[in-house]
Amino acid sequence: MSTDPIKEEVNTLRAVIRHHEERYYVLHDPEISDTEFDRFLHRLTELEAAHPELVTPDSPTQRVAGRAVDGFTTVEHAVPMLSLDNAYDEAELEAFDERVRKGLELEPGTAVTYVAELKIDGLSIALHYRDGLLVRGVTRGDGVRGEDVTSNVRAIRGIPLALKTTTAVPRDVEMRGEIFLPRASFDRMNTERAEADDTPFANPRNAAAGTMRTLDPALVARRGLGAYLYHLLERKGVGGEPVRPSGHGAALEQLAGWGLPVERHWRRCNGMTEVIAFCRQWADDRRALPFDIDGVVVKVDILADRVRLGQTAKFPRWAMAFKFPAEQATTRLLRIDVEVGRTGAVTPYAVLAPVQLAGTTVQRATLHNADDVARKDVRAGDIVLVEKGGDVIPKIVKPILGRRPIGDAAPAPFVMPTVCPVCETLLLRGEDEAVWRCPNDVCPAKLKRGLLHFASRRAMNIEGLGESLVNQLVDRGLVRDPAELYTLTAETLGGLERMAEKSAANLIAEIEGSKRRDFSHVLFGLGVRHVGEGAADLLVRRFGGVQGLLEASLEEIEAVVGVGPIVAASIRTFLDSPAQRGLLERLEKVGVRMDAERVDPVATPEVAQSLSGQTFVITGTLASISRAQAKRAIEARGGKVTGSVSKMTSCVVVGADPGSKLDKARSLGVETIDEQVFRKRIKLGGMPRRSR
Ligand code: IVH
């Protein structure tokens, strides 16, 4: 331990933070509140900013501080990542047990010790720790070669950047496991996507895989991925000698002892009967877990036995995946209806005769779009196979064609309407788009859905403004846009169905109270395409309110950390539309708050002039911050940014694939710094906000 008090505090803070990360993300048993945790992290960030020489790669502040990634590089697995053979019923598990016993030449009646584990429905990952530090994370790929996704793996808070060791640190170790998205994170993410009119992910597995493919570690951190490790490869000990625990159960305990996340429901089973009981139990109990599993993995415990059993080209002979059956049911498809969404998307859905499936009564299934209906050839009147697998919303697998009447009695194929079912405007669809949209700005269906969104809890939070009320308000022509909600009186409301005097007064008070919500809620509530709650918050924090936003250029909007070009283009188009400007003016006129406290995360006052008098040049691509953001950050601190390097240049910031500016800087002896150092110099913390 050092005698330097700062260094000592930094070391203590790191240990404390990792301890609490483990309590929260690995053991799911926190000991402190988020606020207390954030205080530790903030203090560490502060100390590291003041003493950049103390920053180490395994510091918890460095999770999202990875270097530029233009794409992932492919790397070969030292040992191929095999897949597992599948068993679909208990007889197949018994047959597996028979093969194992035969392979091990066991006497009849001798039970094999197995370890049964939950089969996490995610994507497999290989982690490498060298001298106790996380050095690499690689996807399975084709089993022989995978992609190096280290920067994203580092952003997963359950995965320690350094192993916890009480004894000696192992020289080299590789372990394998699964990355997944807990259901709650998945739901939150899809709600945000739906609100921003982005296509939702079909299931948590796809969402986890999609997230790991992004080149933005900060996004990975925000999404809240989890990880579980379930396989330890033979490793090199302190002196480089091979070390391996004698059994798989012991290996799992070793992994957990290093502070790695290990799914805790695994069980050592004496013989296949106990394994089968475990499988039966989890087929029933799986819905109580906070993440998806698609089966149970059965593994021979003793490692020497595994070696004797060996492997085929594709699978180890010592393990088997028992796959739960996807829950399916058949029912009659009564009719195919279409609905109009808030953004005008007109989508077909199946109305089903009620049927029990995976513990709920299903009466509706998605049909995505007209092309999907045609591809599956589902028709009103068909008996259909419905499935609720990894997907949250039930889907139609196929029509049972053998049960479809033939000849004249055959049901007719579905025909997508050409006009909006509500306002009868001709539907349009963009080139390469599968979705048809109603382009009518005053379509009552769009308006109703829009008002419900505007009133929703995370937008203006107007309690009591539900579907039946919104329908009446729109159908009677009392409300034609969100601003007109504020012109309603208790008297007008009193004239509506099922609206007692008291409720009318309450609703008016609710509507009135919502005027005080800050502008980020208004902006989110207006339902601008791609602008979710998070983006609305970032925009309003940066530009302060409607005025600042109206004056902002597309480039300035794009430069907001966390706002990409798609969101920026969408918000700019919205602001430039005369109709939307009119709506903003009307909202302002009725007294809705159009501003918020101005907090610019990049230009904080205490660092304002730290680069005064310095001239910067940026070359290459920066990973965590755009050029525009970097420029703004420098200028906010009193520095200047120019396009070419000269003797007058103070410093060149070098990103990935730098151009000739780097050579020039070197020949002139101008200082060059990488992105990480640059972030420190502008005192931008490496961590995104904690998402819990
Ligand atoms: S063991 C050689 N254990 O399932 C042994 N796999 O269908 C490698 N999986 O590729 C795998 N949970 O991605 C193992 N507890 C678990 C698992 C698990 C999920 C995944 C893994 C594997 C796939 C095979």
Side-chain angles (χ1 to χ4, degrees):
M1 185 58 73
S2 152
T3 48
D4 173 352
I6 303 279
K7 201 168 170 188
E8 220 167 287
E9 186 179 354
V10 164
N11 284 337
T12 310
L13 279 167
R14 284 182 191 152
V16 167
I17 290 168
R18 183 56 214 161
H19 170 79
H20 291 298
E21 275 185 338
E22 190 187 356
R23 295 297 322 177
Y24 188 92
Y25 293 102
V26 179
L27 305 171
H28 309 296
D29 185 19
E31 293 171 336
I32 58 170
S33 70
D34 287 9
T35 321
E36 284 171 290
F37 180 90
D38 287 341
R39 212 175 292 142
F40 288 130
L41 199 58
H42 184 252
R43 175 70 184 146
L44 180 60
T45 311
E46 202 174 65
L47 286 177
E48 288 183 350
H51 304 273
E53 71 286 358
L54 295 182
V55 177
T56 58
D58 64 321
S59 170
T61 60
Q62 299 304 300
R63 284 198 175 269
V64 188
R67 268 198 50 79
V69 267
D70 295 331
F72 301 119
T73 53
T74 305
V75 289
E76 193 162 333
H77 296 293
V79 177
M81 285 180 88
L82 298 182
S83 186
L84 294 173
D85 201 358
N86 292 321
Y88 293 97
D89 55 35
E90 294 174 6
E92 287 180 2
L93 280 179
E94 298 281 13
F96 164 65
D97 184 47
E98 209 44 53
R99 287 197 299 277
V100 169
R101 299 160 51 80
K102 205 163 152 211
L104 297 176
E105 297 170 335
L106 293 183
E107 297 289 328
T110 323
V112 178
T113 307
Y114 292 106
V115 169
E117 293 166 12
L118 302 185
K119 186 171 182 317
I120 321 290
D121 197 9
L123 61 145
S124 32
I125 192 84
L127 301 182
H128 297 253
Y129 284 82
R130 192 166 305 136
D131 296 325
L133 296 185
L134 174 67
V135 288
R136 192 180 254 182
V138 187
T139 61
R140 177 170 185 275
D142 62 5
V144 176
R145 273 175 218 87
E147 281 179 320
D148 184 330
V149 289
T150 312
S151 48
N152 286 347
V153 166
R154 288 175 63 90
I156 300 173
R157 304 286 286 272
I159 297 179
L161 297 178
L163 296 180
K164 192 168 80 175
T165 47
T166 41
T167 54
V169 180
R171 165 91 57 86
D172 229 327
V173 64
E174 178 178 348
M175 49 282 253
R176 292 177 178 173
E178 203 82 354
I179 286 178
F180 64 94
L181 194 65
R183 236 175 331 225
S185 307
F186 171 74
D187 291 343
R188 190 186 60 214
M189 175 176 152
N190 261 358
T191 310
E192 280 170 15
R193 287 179 80 86
E195 278 162 356
D197 201 31
D198 284 335
T199 324
F201 282 106
N203 53 50
R205 180 179 7 89
N206 288 4
T211 303
M212 284 308 281
R213 270 197 297 274
T214 68
L215 297 177
D216 179 3
L219 179 76
V220 177
R222 275 201 304 278
R223 292 252 170 108
L225 292 172
Y228 282 127
L229 281 307
Y230 46 64
H231 191 65
L232 174 62
L233 269 79
E234 187 175 303
R235 63 179 205 272
K236 301 257 185 333
V238 190
E241 76 289 357
V243 182
R244 78 154 82 115
S246 60
H248 181 63
L252 292 178
E253 277 154 10
Q254 169 70 91
L255 290 173
W258 279 330
L260 288 158
V262 174
E263 208 295 309
R264 66 190 170 92
H265 294 102
W266 65 272
R267 188 183 311 155
R268 224 183 247 108
C269 297
N270 190 25
M272 197 43 80
T273 313
E274 282 187 31
V275 170
I276 288 172
F278 184 90
C279 293
R280 282 187 192 158
Q281 180 204 333
W282 283 105
D284 286 341
D285 291 354
R286 61 169 156 157
R287 266 178 294 282
L289 293 165
F291 50 86
D292 281 352
I293 60 172
D294 59 341
V296 166
V297 183
V298 188
K299 303 172 178 178
V300 169
D301 187 29
I302 298 181
L303 298 192
D305 288 346
R306 290 188 179 188
V307 177
R308 278 181 73 192
L309 290 164
Q311 60 189 53
T312 70
K314 286 201 271 177
F315 316 119
R317 287 203 184 87
W318 45 262
M320 181 62 77
F322 173 73
K323 298 279 281 243
F324 295 142
E327 290 177 78
Q328 293 186 330
T330 50
T331 187
R332 188 175 296 281
L333 170 60
L334 301 176
R335 57 177 196 279
I336 298 175
D337 278 354
V338 292
E339 61 183 346
V340 188
R342 176 164 54 83
T343 59
V346 179
T347 47
Y349 65 95
V351 181
L352 305 167
V355 62
Q356 278 299 114
L357 184 59
T360 53
T361 308
V362 172
Q363 310 200 51
R364 229 181 113 123
T366 52
L367 283 166
H368 302 297
N369 54 56
D371 296 349
D372 193 41
V373 182
R375 200 167 32 243
K376 287 188 174 146
D377 187 27
V378 271
R379 305 183 186 186
D382 275 340
I383 298 294
V384 290
L385 187 63
V386 197
E387 183 175 286
K388 207 164 167 192
D391 298 359
V392 181
I393 307 164
K395 67 173 182 208
I396 291 186
V397 183
K398 58 174 186 184
I400 312 286
L401 292 177
R403 295 177 69 181
R404 178 185 283 173
I406 43 174
D408 287 349
F414 170 70
V415 182
M416 181 70 191
T418 51
V419 297
C420 171
V422 177
C423 71
E424 299 186 343
T425 305
L426 203 61
L427 301 181
L428 299 177
R429 92 169 153 179
E431 233 176 278
D432 301 330
E433 266 207 302
V435 173
W436 289 93
R437 283 178 203 277
C438 168
N440 177 9
D441 279 338
V442 291
C443 169
K446 280 163 73 171
L447 176 59
K448 287 174 184 172
R449 298 290 288 262
L451 288 172
L452 283 170
H453 174 71
F454 185 78
S456 66
R457 198 168 46 81
R458 287 155 60 205
M460 299 304 271
N461 194 21
I462 305 175
E463 208 170 308
L465 192 59
E467 201 166 332
S468 92
L469 202 56
V470 163
N471 287 346
Q472 295 186 62
L473 291 172
V474 173
D475 292 343
R476 296 182 187 208
L478 293 170
V479 172
R480 287 163 301 174
D481 70 22
E484 286 192 346
L485 287 173
Y486 297 91
T487 62
L488 290 171
T489 60
E491 242 165 50
T492 334
L493 288 179
L496 301 177
E497 285 164 29
R498 279 181 305 197
M499 181 53 77
E501 204 175 304
K502 180 103 190 297
S503 334
N506 284 347
L507 184 58
I508 293 295
E510 279 284 327
I511 295 174
E512 191 59 28
S514 77
K515 288 181 179 173
R516 291 191 294 274
R517 300 279 274 172
D518 81 35
F519 186 62
S520 70
H521 294 100
V522 182
L523 186 59
F524 170 61
L526 291 176
V528 185
R529 218 169 152 201
H530 305 298
V531 180
E533 209 179 2
D537 184 50
L538 289 171
L539 289 167
V540 173
R541 278 213 274 164
R542 168 67 182 89
F543 298 108
V546 74
Q547 206 47 46
L549 204 53
L550 284 169
E551 286 163 10
S553 69
L554 181 63
E555 292 71 30
E556 282 171 318
I557 299 176
E558 246 185 81
V560 178
V561 184
V563 172
I566 297 176
V567 173
S570 175
I571 187 86
R572 200 54 262 174
T573 310
F574 174 86
L575 295 167
D576 290 340
S577 138
Q580 305 295 4
R581 279 198 188 224
L583 172 60
L584 290 169
E585 277 163 24
R586 287 196 296 281
L587 282 167
E588 187 160 23
K589 214 158 143 201
V590 294
V592 171
R593 192 166 158 204
M594 305 303 270
D595 64 2
E597 211 182 318
R598 182 186 287 256
V599 189
D600 184 337
V602 175
T604 47
E606 71 267 27
V607 294
Q609 296 310 304
S610 59
L611 302 177
S612 142
Q614 299 184 33
T615 307
F616 284 76
V617 171
I618 304 167
T619 178
T621 314
L622 302 178
S624 61
I625 181 169
S626 72
R627 277 254 181 141
Q629 284 166 343
K631 182 165 185 281
R632 194 159 59 79
I634 294 168
E635 288 170 352
R637 287 156 181 77
K640 239 173 61 182
V641 178
T642 63
S644 59
V645 182
S646 75
K647 278 195 304 233
M648 305 303 287
T649 311
S650 324
C651 179
V652 176
V653 183
V654 184
D657 290 333
S660 60
K661 287 173 198 164
L662 174 60
D663 301 329
K664 180 103 186 267
R666 284 188 178 143
S667 71
L668 291 174
V670 171
E671 183 193 20
T672 59
I673 57 172
D674 69 9
E675 185 173 348
Q676 210 161 327
V677 176
F678 173 64
R679 286 182 72 91
K680 277 185 206 119
R681 214 162 276 189
I682 58 172
K683 296 207 169 76
L684 212 59
M687 298 292 293
R689 231 189 319 165
R690 260 185 141 198
S691 62
R692 283 191 170 182

